[in-house]
């Protein structure tokens, strides 16, 4: 809009969600200050560079920094809209308890500079009730302001919960095009947040209350986890019965109302394997299915280690290739990855016999140190290794033709080589090619 005054925006947390979000808000013409506690991150962004890998993000950040629309700092400044996108890890108590301390720390910072008319939006994945907890904290710090839901009068500030639902590798596209849930502490707060998101989101923005929006985000990832657990459980049953799970799933999916997901070596990443626990923590008595799904998906990792171990032991002179470390296909993110966990476990057991192929890695992660395992490329693996454990469905593995795999012993946990002939069982009920 010509001559329209754009809100000044402060994005707190410049990680995988915060930085792309800051960049697309800046692209929409709003001046954005990105706040981060790490000085090197701030310096990198102020040079117009990025510290994370994401498709097309480098060019976008470079452009908005050059145009003076995005700058980063470790010091908060007044703004009109604050967007909080900081991590919510587990507490270190071993019980999957959500740790919202980064959110509350960010809210305290914001409370120091907030003024009447401002909007505070929480985007981090959070247990139900966190937005209200954040509001209560800020209200305690700023008794001079009226906060929504705590006053009958018109509040001075608006507070909302608006989760992202983007897929790594497609973040910029999905930030702009996905539908969004916008949960206000009050309907007025939701409308304020809605007006802000309409500046840069093309998808439909649906307003609700903050608690429903918090639960919606958790439910989305728990839904996926439960469905992957079903596929992983099927794969373990199929192993025991000597069936090809991929064939069974693809046949079942021909039913018009059946859509079974894909089994794998377990569920990785920072969302699907984490968020369901936030629901379990909030309702421990009522979450048998969600909890069991989590345990099934974690258990699949141990099932894969046991099968792979049996296979390697059955071929005592064979060189072993573990294909992939990433938590899913075609990305360079190895954090919380079942593939990495399985490969490291095999490396500890079988030492220099184990070779890891990971085109997105320059070197092996720390836990491989002193195991004797080495990082090799796929061509070398095909030339020199006899046993293949497929852990990630990277395209570069998927395209290896049968002729180059002939005679190999294969455990394909991702189903990327359906034409691989099944080997003789290493023990009753265990087939080698999945
Ligand atoms: N996986 C399977 N079988 C499948 C699908 C996935 O084993 O059929 C595994 C993957 O290999 C990976 C894990 O699940 O290890 C998660 O991968 P993903 O691609 O399904 O999801 P993420 O973690 O990259 O992103 C998810 C997305 N949520 C949903 O699809 C419901 C994304 O939209 C969210 O924004 C993101 O979590 C988040 O930030 O919460």
């Amino acid at each position: 809009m010509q001559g329209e005054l754009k809100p000044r925006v402060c994005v707190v947390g410049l990680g995988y969600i915060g930085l792309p979000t800051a960049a697309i808000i800046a692209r929409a013409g709003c001046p954005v200050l990105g706040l981060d506690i790490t000085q090197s991150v701030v310096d990198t962004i102020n040079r117009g560079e990025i510290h994370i890998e994401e498709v097309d993000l480098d060019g976008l950040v470079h452009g908005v920094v050059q145009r003076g629309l995005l700058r980063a700092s470790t010091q908060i400044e007044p703004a009109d809209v604050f967007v909080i996108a900081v991590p919510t890890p587990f507490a270190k108590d071993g019980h999957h308890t959500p740790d919202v301390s980064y959110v509350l720390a960010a809210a305290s910072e914001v409370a120091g500079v907030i003024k009447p008319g401002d909007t505070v939006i929480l985007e981090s994945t959070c247990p139900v009730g966190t937005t209200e907890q954040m509001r209560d904290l800020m209200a305690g710090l700023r008794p001079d302001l009226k906060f929504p839901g705590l006053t009958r009068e018109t509040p001075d500030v608006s507070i909302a919960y608006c989760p992202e639902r983007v897929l790594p590798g497609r973040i910029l596209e999905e930030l702009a095009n996905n539908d969004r849930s916008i949960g206000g502490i009050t309907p007025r707060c939701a409308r304020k947040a809605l007006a802000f998101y309409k500046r840069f989101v093309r998808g439909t923005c649906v307003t609700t209350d903050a608690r429903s929006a918090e639960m919606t985000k958790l439910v989305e990832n728990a839904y996926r986890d439960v469905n992957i657990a079903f596929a992983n459980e099927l794969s373990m049953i199929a192993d025991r019965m000597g069936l090809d799970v991929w064939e069974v799933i693809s046949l079942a999916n021909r039913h018009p109302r059946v859509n079974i997901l894909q089994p794998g070596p377990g569920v990785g990443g920072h969302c699907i394997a984490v968020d369901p626990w936030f629901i379990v923590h909030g309702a421990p008595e009522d979450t048998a299915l969600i909890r069991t799904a989590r345990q099934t998906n974690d258990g699949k990792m141990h099932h894969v280690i046991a099968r792979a171990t049996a296979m390697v032991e059955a071929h005592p002179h064979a060189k072993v290739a573990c294909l992939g470390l990433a938590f899913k296909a075609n990305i360079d993110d190895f954090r919380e990855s079942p593939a990495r966990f399985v490969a490291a476990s095999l490396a500890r057991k079988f030492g220099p016999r184990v070779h890891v192929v990971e085109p997105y890695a320059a070197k092996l992660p720390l836990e491989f140190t002193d195991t004797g395992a080495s990082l090799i490329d796929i061509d070398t693996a095909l030339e020199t290794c006899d046993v293949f454990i497929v852990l990630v469905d990277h395209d570069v593995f998927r395209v290896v033709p049968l002729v180059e795999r002939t005679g190999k012993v294969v455990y394909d946990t991702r189903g990327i080589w359906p034409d691989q002939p099944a080997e003789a069982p290493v023990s009753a009920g265990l087939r080698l090619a999945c």
Side-chain angles (χ1 to χ4, degrees):
M1 212 184 299
Q2 201 82 61
E4 183 210 19
L5 197 60
K6 307 270 188 183
R8 283 173 307 155
V9 180
C10 173
V11 176
V12 186
L14 295 174
Y16 277 89
I17 299 301
L19 180 56
T21 302
I24 68 161
I25 297 170
R27 182 176 65 189
C30 303
V32 180
L33 174 75
L35 198 70
D36 204 280
I37 50 173
T38 308
Q39 186 65 51
S40 60
V41 167
V42 165
D43 294 341
T44 303
I45 292 163
N46 284 335
R47 284 197 304 272
E49 295 166 11
I50 58 174
H51 63 294
I52 53 175
E53 284 291 323
E54 180 55 40
V55 176
D56 295 339
L57 184 61
D58 47 358
L60 177 59
V61 168
H62 185 75
V64 288
V65 168
Q66 269 209 328
R67 286 162 61 201
L69 285 167
L70 173 65
R71 69 196 165 84
S73 174
T74 56
Q75 300 297 317
I76 198 159
E77 293 174 17
D80 305 308
V81 180
F82 296 86
V83 177
I84 298 177
V86 295
T88 42
F90 292 132
K92 291 187 172 51
D93 60 0
H95 296 291
H96 301 111
T97 307
D99 171 5
V100 296
S101 58
Y102 295 106
V103 170
L104 299 180
S108 305
E109 289 259 315
V110 171
V113 295
I114 198 173
K115 61 186 186 315
D118 287 356
T119 303
V120 183
I121 295 166
L122 178 57
E123 282 212 6
S124 311
T125 304
C126 286
V128 174
T130 308
T131 311
E132 289 167 354
Q133 197 183 345
M134 183 179 91
R135 182 264 326 263
D136 293 345
L137 174 81
M138 295 173 77
L141 292 167
R142 290 298 300 269
D144 57 313
L145 295 176
K146 291 189 283 294
F147 280 79
L150 300 179
T151 175
R152 282 175 188 279
E153 299 165 57
T154 305
D156 291 315
V157 296
S158 298
I159 300 182
Y161 181 72
C162 307
E164 52 71 32
R165 39 168 64 136
V166 294
L167 209 59
R170 297 169 46 89
I171 291 182
L172 291 180
E173 192 194 323
E174 293 207 359
L175 269 179
N177 293 318
N178 287 358
D179 293 352
R180 291 193 82 124
S181 314
I182 309 233
I185 293 253
T186 63
R188 188 173 178 276
C189 295
R191 288 194 296 276
K192 281 287 288 249
L194 174 69
F196 172 63
Y197 280 96
K198 289 307 266 180
R199 292 176 176 278
F200 58 94
V201 172
R202 277 191 291 271
T204 306
C205 297
V206 184
T207 56
T208 180
D209 61 278
R211 291 170 68 87
S212 298
E214 288 165 340
M215 187 60 166
T216 303
K217 169 68 193 182
L218 301 178
V219 161
E220 290 166 3
N221 282 345
Y223 166 84
R224 191 128 167 110
D225 197 46
V226 168
N227 282 279
I228 298 170
F230 182 74
N232 277 332
E233 185 163 293
L234 286 185
S235 73
M236 293 186 274
I237 298 167
D239 282 350
R240 186 170 290 279
M241 294 184 171
L243 294 166
D244 179 342
V245 70
W246 312 103
E247 187 184 4
V248 171
I249 289 176
S250 92
L251 289 170
N253 281 349
R254 288 180 175 274
H255 185 293
R257 285 171 295 283
V258 173
N259 184 15
I260 302 171
L261 294 181
Q262 299 300 301
V267 170
H270 332 290
C271 309
I272 293 185
V274 173
D275 301 356
W277 287 116
F278 288 16
I279 305 181
V280 173
H281 189 261
E285 309 294 319
D286 304 308
T287 39
L289 178 65
I290 296 173
R291 182 197 300 268
T292 303
R294 264 302 55 249
Q295 289 163 344
T296 302
N297 285 330
D298 283 348
K300 180 66 193 291
M301 216 155 42
H302 298 286
H303 174 89
V304 168
I305 291 169
R307 279 198 71 196
T309 299
M311 186 187 233
V312 177
E313 282 170 349
H315 299 83
H317 305 295
K319 284 183 165 186
V320 180
C322 291
L323 301 195
L325 292 175
F327 86 83
K328 64 177 180 178
N330 306 323
I331 61 166
D332 68 343
D333 192 340
F334 310 140
R335 296 169 302 162
E336 314 300 330
S337 167
R340 174 176 168 175
F341 186 82
V342 170
S345 169
L346 295 174
R348 276 192 296 275
K349 282 194 176 94
F350 299 108
R353 286 180 64 199
V354 173
H355 304 269
V356 177
V357 184
E358 177 45 84
Y360 291 90
K363 58 182 177 25
L364 287 177
L366 270 185
E367 67 269 28
F368 288 84
T369 314
D370 299 332
T371 59
S374 54
L375 183 68
I376 61 174
D377 62 31
I378 184 68
D379 296 334
T380 311
L382 289 165
E383 278 158 24
T384 61
C385 295
D386 320 286
V387 172
F388 280 68
I389 319 285
V390 180
L391 298 169
V392 184
D393 42 347
H394 288 320
D395 287 346
V396 65
F397 303 152
R398 200 181 277 280
V399 297
V400 174
L402 177 59
V403 61
E404 290 191 68
R405 292 180 262 122
T406 305
K408 308 287 185 197
V409 176
V410 173
Y411 178 16
D412 180 2
T413 73
R414 294 282 186 175
I416 60 168
W417 293 336
D419 53 356
Q420 186 73 26
E423 301 288 328
V426 286
S427 66
L430 281 183
R431 274 178 44 180
L432 288 182
C434 198

